[in-house]
Amino acid sequence: MENLVRKAEALAERYGVSYYEIRITRVTASHLSIRNGQLDELSLNAEMGIGVRAFNGAWGFSSANDMTRAEEAIKTAMKIAKLSRGDSRIHLGDPVRERAEIKVRKPFTDIEVEDKLTLVKEIDSLLEGERIVSRETAYGDGLKEQLYFNSLGSEIETVVPRVRVGFSVTARENGEMQTYWRYFGGTAGWELVEDIDFPHWAELVKEKALSLLHARSPPSGEFEIIMDPELTGVFIHEALGHAVEADSVKNGDSILAGKLGERIAVEGLTVVDDPTLPGKYGSYVYDDEGIRGKRVEIIRDGVLVNYLNDRETSALLGLEPNGHGRAQGYAYQPLVRMSNTYVEPGSWSLEEMLEEVKNGLYMAGDKGGQVDTASGTFTFGATEGYIIENGEIKDMVRDVAMSGSILEVLRNIRAVGKELRVEFPGYCGKGQVVPVDDGGPHLLTRALVGGLR
Amino acid sequence: MNSSVETLVSILERENVEWELYWEAGRGGSFRIERERLERSQRKFYSGMGLRVGYNGRLGFSYITGLNHDRKTLEEFVKRAVKLARVSEILFRGFPAPSKVPRVDGLYDRRIEDIPFEEAHSLAEEFAGKMRELKGDSLTLSGSLALGVNSYGVANSSGVFLEGRSTGMSVSAYAVVEGTRPGTGYHYQSYRSLQPLEELGRSIALAREEALLSSAAERLEPFSGELVLEPSAFQSLLGIFLENLYGDSVYFGRSRFSGTGEEVAGEAVTLVDDPTLPGLPGSYPFDGEGTPGRRTVLIEKGLLRNFLLDHTYGSFLGMESTSNAVRDFRTVPHIGTSNLVVEPGKERLEDYEGVVVRRVFGEHTANPVSGDFSLTVELGYVIKNGELRPFRDNMLTGNVFEVLRSVSSVGRESVREGSFISPRVLTVGRIV
């Protein structure tokens, strides 16, 4: 290690590199999946690799997963930086020396693989049932130990555990098929798994899949929609989160560029991205640029007050760095990414919200989404829904996606619920995949619904 | 043969197990251009070996990074995989036996393997320069360029021993027209051989053209009826449908289908998976298990003919592998597509007057088993009396099984986007 530091210093001098950073990562992971009672995957692996980034007005990056090539990776990144000679600037800041470990009650590395196997088998058997034609359960954990150092003299050691477990069923009747699922996860240990009431959730998942078989497709057109906390999460992630990632602002790819300080949403709407929330799936202490992750208020009372940034975008836009440069792994360069994104609670009860809706939809559950940040159009899917007529919840509807324009939908929010839930772990793709969480309270807004009726 | 592979084989041959080794080593250079400036350049190296072990009808898997290890490390690696096979409970269905592998030309271009990084960097600089030439006051251009080389091999205890190498290049361009109503355009293409600057320029031109259309686009009034899907939009819908053809989905009852022969599309539709096409990004002479690459007709004149299978799920279903085992050294094989080809038809749909959908997004929100989808239209247009009116931000909704069955004609001229090759298709749909 000492040797690599010295080597990097000498090479930086030789190639005239003004800044560099090195990440050496070791991930110990286990994955198990079972389908219809048949074990499908069981893998226990550890992997180590190095990623090196060097800056000379533009970035040079190199990575290797064979540690005998570590020095070569350092040299390659520096050579590329020398070749690149751009004129961008980055935030440097003071050196940081710290060991930051996200502590858990029961490390999953201490749990025998046999116990993990028992868990997936138990869940699988709970999912059995009439008209349930297919069931899947997946368990995964990973301990990421990372050593970060840079040319400023920072030396940061981080230890982040992540665990995720989820299951799905497919129900079939008279040629109709429907699937329903549930995922749990966090920066936690085995205690997360022990605290889940699997029999309860297995029953719920089966019941939902079966009732969806009889649900109709929703009507299509513009409707008032009440989103549940899970859907609020995916909505705010897609409709706002991606457009406030400052690399898209920098690249002329965000409809929210130049709008800091402007009112872009209704009063009363506050949106936060917070990697410091304890135990959440998108949490971390330091990002992959050696900057401490900070809670960021993106929208405060309807006004756009901040972007999520990294070393480069904070320098360019003159903003305080907030530690949102995240990489999928050692073989990837950090990009500006979200962590745990949510809408702060307001004052409305669900009953009060329902009373506001004459003809609309109550939509629940996250099926993911996508956004075109430049044009401001986004889409997101709900796993289930219900027709609302004159303030009352009526028939169940299925398979629905909604679409809208960022600026319109944020202004169309009419009510923010009072109960907050941030517990919907998932992954966000942007060329690279990183774990995130999101949520919020119930939200009442308008969107374009694409149903088949 | 790499010496670690040789040592591993000799260690494995002494064990009383069946085994399969997959190894690869490669490197890649890639470049990102942001607002016409080359901002991020990178060069990555990777290598590793994945080992599957079959013991007493059970399967174990483990991988190790790097291809240069001492004997002790390799012995421990084998021990780990064997131990997992003993506890795993994953059913083991044997490994493929050797058989003749087809010759697939055009998968390797020495110029990509030999290009010095500095030259690749210069090409990326020229690509950025081309963008600077073409940008306008309200138009910004970004993009990426990547080059890679990979060598790989698979060996098993049934006697398979195959090695191969391939190269790849990909280019993308992204255009944004700023203004009160910003428009975006995108183009991506991948190749097996080194491409000249003109080809990169073509990518920029196509992205730019699309962004200009997009910035002029408005929302279309709701529409229901006959419409044309351009290859990109058709690919999005086919992707939802295809989840039902993966052998594991069929085996575990997560597919709409349990057998072949059913009428699933209009008579004009023939869909083929073909890894043996020369020079294409999805081509290979053998798949991740060493099964020789073969052409598989998935839909023939509207009838479902085949599923996509690897050795394991082929065996579970009493069928043969269709050579669709996809993997890297970190993973066990899983089922995937190679090149997907929609066979051209007889119509000249290029002259079609009416509603045309070019690009949609949000496929992952669709439900593959019910087939229902509602996707955002990123770009479409209406042509009437030769006049073109672009639209976007509507949703294209429907049921994928119905849309496929409603395909009444397929165009004559195919377009390739990566490993997807298709003409336009005429079907019935709904825009809301």
Side-chain angles (χ1 to χ4, degrees):
Chain A
M1 188 58 228
E2 282 293 310
N3 193 22
L4 273 187
V5 175
R6 275 199 303 277
K7 195 82 199 168
E9 277 171 8
L11 286 165
E13 197 164 327
R14 192 201 307 174
Y15 290 104
V17 163
S18 59
Y19 173 83
Y20 66 83
E21 58 189 16
I22 297 176
R23 282 177 286 139
I24 297 170
T25 313
R26 183 184 166 84
V27 178
T28 313
S30 64
H31 292 279
L32 292 92
S33 69
I34 188 165
R35 295 198 270 187
N36 292 6
Q38 189 172 320
L39 194 68
D40 193 39
E41 186 187 0
L42 185 158
S43 67
L44 309 170
N45 280 295
E47 180 170 342
M48 198 170 171
I50 179 168
V52 185
R53 214 159 62 132
F55 185 74
N56 188 23
W59 290 107
F61 178 82
S62 186
S63 69
N65 64 9
D66 178 347
M67 288 307 284
T68 59
R69 298 190 81 120
E71 272 188 38
E72 198 179 330
I74 297 173
K75 195 169 165 179
T76 305
M78 302 218 178
K79 274 166 95 170
I80 299 172
K82 188 183 178 201
L83 194 65
S84 297
R85 289 193 308 271
D87 55 9
S88 294
R89 289 180 308 118
I90 53 168
H91 167 85
L92 292 172
D94 297 327
V96 177
R97 283 166 190 264
E98 195 180 340
R99 185 177 191 281
E101 178 174 358
I102 294 185
K103 291 261 176 33
V104 301
R105 287 209 307 273
K106 273 194 176 177
F108 44 71
T109 42
D110 291 352
I111 305 296
E112 296 294 331
V113 67
E114 285 79 1
D115 294 332
K116 295 175 186 175
L117 194 54
T118 305
L119 171 79
V120 295
K121 281 187 192 167
E122 274 175 13
I123 300 172
D124 177 77
S125 65
L126 291 172
L127 298 172
E128 283 183 79
E130 220 180 304
R131 288 170 291 156
I132 301 296
V133 290
S134 188
R135 41 190 213 275
E136 285 188 29
T137 300
Y139 168 89
D141 61 42
L143 185 73
K144 183 175 168 185
E145 298 161 280
Q146 184 160 288
L147 193 62
Y148 169 97
F149 62 94
N150 67 20
S151 53
L152 303 171
S154 289
E155 270 186 46
I156 304 165
E157 198 183 340
T158 50
V159 181
V160 181
R162 274 200 180 82
V163 59
R164 190 170 188 250
V165 60
F167 42 86
S168 73
V169 298
T170 301
R172 184 172 192 150
E173 188 179 39
N174 300 329
E176 285 287 342
M177 289 175 80
Q178 283 290 335
T179 301
Y180 200 87
W181 60 88
R182 189 84 215 171
Y183 276 92
F184 305 86
T187 42
W190 186 252
E191 68 275 7
L192 180 136
V193 174
E194 287 180 336
D195 289 347
I196 300 169
D197 182 354
F198 287 111
H200 162 78
W201 290 109
E203 279 313 307
L204 182 117
V205 161
K206 283 190 279 186
E207 189 192 303
K208 292 282 187 187
L210 289 167
S211 37
L212 279 170
L213 287 171
H214 303 285
R216 293 175 70 192
S217 179
S220 44
E222 282 240 359
F223 284 96
E224 284 192 301
I225 295 168
I226 297 177
M227 297 185 231
D228 83 327
E230 185 172 1
L231 196 60
T232 295
V234 65
F235 157 76
I236 210 70
H237 177 104
E238 297 301 337
L240 178 77
H242 282 296
V244 297
E245 289 169 339
D247 51 348
S248 69
V249 175
K250 168 188 175 248
N251 296 334
D253 191 20
S254 171
I255 198 160
L256 298 179
K259 289 198 158 50
L260 273 189
E262 277 184 34
R263 175 170 302 285
I264 61 161
V266 287
E267 274 180 44
L269 186 78
T270 293
V271 181
V272 172
D273 186 281
D274 189 358
T276 72
L277 287 178
K280 297 299 174 195
Y281 203 53
S283 298
Y284 51 87
V285 184
Y286 281 92
D287 74 358
D288 290 300
E289 296 190 312
I291 293 189
R292 206 174 176 94
K294 288 187 187 146
R295 177 182 190 272
V296 180
E297 273 189 2
I298 302 168
I299 291 181
R300 186 190 303 136
D301 217 7
V303 176
L304 181 69
V305 288
N306 217 335
Y307 297 124
L308 304 177
N309 62 42
D310 62 7
R311 281 189 187 270
E312 192 174 350
T313 57
S314 59
L316 180 81
L317 302 170
L319 300 169
E320 193 68 21
N322 51 38
H324 282 76
R326 302 179 70 191
Q328 180 177 324
Y330 62 82
Y332 295 85
Q333 300 186 55
L335 299 174
V336 181
R337 304 304 295 266
M338 284 173 256
S339 62
N340 308 302
T341 317
Y342 63 93
V343 174
E344 288 272 19
S347 56
W348 291 67
S349 71
L350 179 58
E351 291 69 32
E352 287 166 340
M353 280 190 195
L354 283 166
E355 280 169 21
E356 291 291 306
V357 183
K358 285 212 159 40
N359 175 26
L361 294 157
Y362 177 82
M363 305 303 305
D366 165 18
K367 253 187 172 177
Q370 204 169 328
V371 64
D372 179 345
T373 50
S375 66
T377 308
F378 63 88
T379 187
F380 62 108
T383 41
E384 61 179 307
Y386 300 84
I387 304 278
I388 308 173
E389 268 173 26
N390 297 322
E392 276 182 48
I393 288 190
K394 304 271 185 174
D395 295 351
M396 190 182 201
V397 292
R398 65 176 207 206
D399 295 339
V400 62
M402 285 150 282
S403 178
S405 128
I406 295 174
L407 296 175
E408 274 176 36
V409 176
L410 289 175
R411 285 194 191 111
N412 282 337
I413 292 171
R414 279 178 50 204
V416 182
K418 57 185 178 189
E419 278 161 51
L420 171 70
R421 285 169 64 202
V422 186
E423 50 194 59
F424 307 104
Y427 290 91
C428 169
K430 180 174 159 181
Q432 298 180 23
V433 177
V434 294
V436 294
D437 217 324
D438 49 42
H442 280 91
L443 214 58
L444 168 60
T445 185
R446 282 184 80 79
L448 178 65
V449 175
L452 302 192
R453 284 194 277 147
Chain B
M1 198 197 327
N2 172 283
S3 66
S4 282
V5 170
E6 210 169 319
T7 312
L8 257 180
V9 169
S10 73
I11 296 169
L12 286 161
E13 277 174 346
R14 287 205 323 259
E15 297 277 333
N16 183 26
V17 296
E18 288 181 71
W19 54 267
E20 177 205 67
L21 190 60
Y22 181 86
W23 63 95
E24 61 182 329
R27 61 168 196 268
S30 65
F31 307 90
R32 267 191 61 185
I33 298 158
E34 294 168 353
R35 299 191 90 147
E36 305 93 28
R37 289 141 65 102
L38 178 53
E39 294 271 11
R40 287 165 193 257
S41 308
Q42 62 181 22
R43 188 166 168 81
K44 297 185 189 182
F45 303 89
Y46 61 89
S47 57
M49 300 184 272
L51 173 63
R52 286 201 291 170
V53 162
Y55 177 79
N56 248 348
R58 298 287 185 262
L59 188 74
F61 170 78
S62 194
Y63 75 82
I64 188 168
T65 56
L67 282 186
N68 301 301
H69 300 283
D70 55 31
R71 191 177 178 93
K72 189 168 164 270
T73 309
L74 296 174
E75 275 173 356
E76 276 165 16
F77 176 43
V78 169
K79 219 181 264 175
R80 200 161 69 224
V82 172
K83 191 179 160 198
L84 280 173
R86 287 174 199 268
V87 300
S88 88
E89 302 182 21
I90 297 174
L91 296 180
F92 171 58
R93 306 295 286 201
F95 297 118
S99 62
K100 196 172 161 23
V101 166
R103 186 189 156 93
V104 183
D105 290 327
L107 304 186
Y108 172 82
D109 181 356
R110 178 167 289 284
R111 292 175 302 168
I112 291 183
E113 169 128 37
D114 289 349
I115 192 169
F117 187 79
E118 291 73 10
E119 262 180 50
H121 190 273
S122 299
L123 184 62
E125 276 290 9
E126 284 180 66
F127 188 29
K130 197 96 194 151
M131 287 181 181
R132 284 193 289 273
E133 269 171 43
L134 292 171
K135 85 176 285 285
D137 287 345
S138 60
L139 175 82
T140 57
L141 294 160
S142 300
S144 70
L145 183 68
L147 294 158
V149 54
N150 186 38
S151 52
Y152 54 98
V154 57
N156 69 30
S157 49
S158 304
V160 166
F161 192 100
L162 295 161
E163 285 186 286
R165 62 179 176 175
S166 64
T167 48
M169 175 168 178
S170 70
V171 55
S172 74
Y174 179 68
V176 179
V177 173
E178 287 163 359
T180 44
R181 208 174 145 71
T184 57
Y186 180 71
H187 182 258
Y188 169 85
Q189 190 59 287
S190 56
Y191 316 84
R192 290 292 195 176
S193 59
L194 190 68
Q195 299 300 308
L197 193 60
E198 296 78 68
E199 188 67 11
L200 310 187
R202 202 174 75 86
S203 209
I204 303 171
L206 289 168
R208 182 172 171 267
E209 179 197 310
E210 203 171 283
L212 291 170
L213 269 179
S214 164
S215 69
E218 295 192 335
R219 202 190 270 184
L220 185 72
E221 56 283 7
F223 163 88
S224 190
E226 212 169 57
L227 51 78
V228 158
L229 301 174
E230 287 201 6
S232 167
F234 191 43
Q235 184 182 14
S236 298
L237 295 190
L238 266 183
I240 303 167
F241 172 83
L242 273 177
E243 290 199 32
N244 292 281
L245 301 196
Y246 286 83
D248 51 344
S249 296
V250 176
Y251 177 69
F252 288 116
R254 278 188 81 131
S255 164
R256 184 93 168 177
F257 312 114
S258 53
T260 53
E262 196 175 319
E263 191 181 321
V264 295
E267 216 187 329
V269 179
T270 292
L271 176 71
V272 175
D273 178 88
D274 193 353
T276 67
L277 295 167
L280 290 190
S283 297
Y284 43 78
F286 55 90
D287 74 359
E289 295 177 301
T291 300
R294 64 172 236 200
R295 179 177 188 271
T296 303
V297 178
L298 299 170
I299 300 173
E300 186 179 29
K301 293 184 178 164
L303 298 180
L304 182 61
R305 288 294 184 207
N306 252 307
F307 299 125
L308 292 157
L309 299 165
D310 62 0
H311 180 81
T312 303
Y313 288 98
S315 157
F316 283 148
L317 292 168
M319 299 166 94
E320 256 185 44
S321 169
T322 53
S323 79
N324 286 96
V326 178
R327 73 187 302 177
D328 62 36
F329 72 86
R330 285 187 183 83
T331 61
V332 295
H334 57 274
I335 298 170
T337 54
S338 63
N339 300 296
L340 268 183
V341 184
V342 178
E343 298 279 344
K346 297 191 174 94
E347 305 296 320
R348 245 200 82 75
L349 291 177
E350 280 62 35
D351 303 331
Y352 178 79
E353 290 229 325
V355 177
V356 180
V357 179
R358 175 173 287 189
R359 212 184 277 286
V360 292
F361 68 77
E363 300 90 289
H364 60 290
T365 65
N367 183 341
V369 292
S370 74
D372 287 355
F373 64 84
S374 31
L375 311 174
T376 298
V377 177
E378 201 174 338
L379 187 61
Y381 47 92
V382 182
I383 301 189
K384 212 171 181 181
N385 303 322
E387 193 192 323
L388 187 148
R389 188 159 57 95
F391 67 92
R392 67 172 211 221
D393 297 352
N394 293 80
M395 295 190 93
L396 173 69
T397 72
N399 180 282
V400 77
F401 301 109
E402 280 170 28
V403 169
L404 267 184
R405 276 195 289 265
S406 305
V407 173
S408 51
S409 65
V410 174
R412 279 195 301 208
E413 288 171 36
S414 288
V415 175
R416 177 174 79 84
E417 287 185 10
S419 55
F420 181 70
I421 302 152
S422 174
R424 298 170 157 209
V425 300
L426 180 66
T427 184
V428 173
R430 187 163 183 213
I431 307 273
V432 297

